[in-house]
């Protein structure tokens, strides 16, 4: 199923940006990249318009609307793995 993802590395990086935004974790720690890898990932995501700089130290990046849309499209193949449930938590199929 993961082979259906077009760019899992970029998706993981966007997950790190979200984690960085919601916690006190640095982007370097959240991503698990070394400093050079992080700079390449940040540049690629910014060039694609998926993230933008906040102008602050923490969080230093945030998702753009295009980033949220891209992630939604990228994750769409995985939606079939999630079963729908009713209010009691029972699966609906």
């Amino acid at each position: 199923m993961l082979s259906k993802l077009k760019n899992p590395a970029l998706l993981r990086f966007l997950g790190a940006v979200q984690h960085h935004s919601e916690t006190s974790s640095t982007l370097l720690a959240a991503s698990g990249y070394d400093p050079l890898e992080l700079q390449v990932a940040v540049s690629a995501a910014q060039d694609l318009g998926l993230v933008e700089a906040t102008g602050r130290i923490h969080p230093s990046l945030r998702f753009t609307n295009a980033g949220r849309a891209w992630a939604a499209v990228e994750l769409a193949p995985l939606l079939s793995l999630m079963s729908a449930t009713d209010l009691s938590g029972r699966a609906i199929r």
Side-chain angles (χ1 to χ4, degrees):
M1 184 60 69
L2 291 178
S3 63
K4 291 185 178 184
L5 297 177
K6 294 179 184 90
N7 194 334
L10 184 54
L11 189 60
R12 278 191 304 274
F13 175 70
L14 293 179
V17 169
Q18 186 65 29
H19 179 74
H20 163 67
S21 296
E22 295 175 346
T23 68
S24 62
S25 178
T26 65
L27 189 53
L28 186 66
S31 68
Y33 291 152
D34 68 36
L36 181 58
E37 291 171 322
L38 180 60
Q39 185 57 46
V40 170
V42 168
S43 293
Q46 285 180 322
D47 288 349
L48 292 169
L50 305 179
V51 297
E52 62 188 5
T54 63
R56 299 182 314 190
I57 293 173
H58 190 87
S60 58
L61 293 176
R62 68 175 155 241
F63 274 102
T64 62
N65 288 335
R68 283 187 280 284
W70 182 88
V73 169
E74 183 73 2
L75 290 169
L78 301 179
L79 288 177
S80 64
L81 296 175
M82 298 169 42
S83 63
T85 59
D86 63 18
L87 293 176
S88 68
R90 285 180 264 155
I92 301 172
R93 285 280 172 169

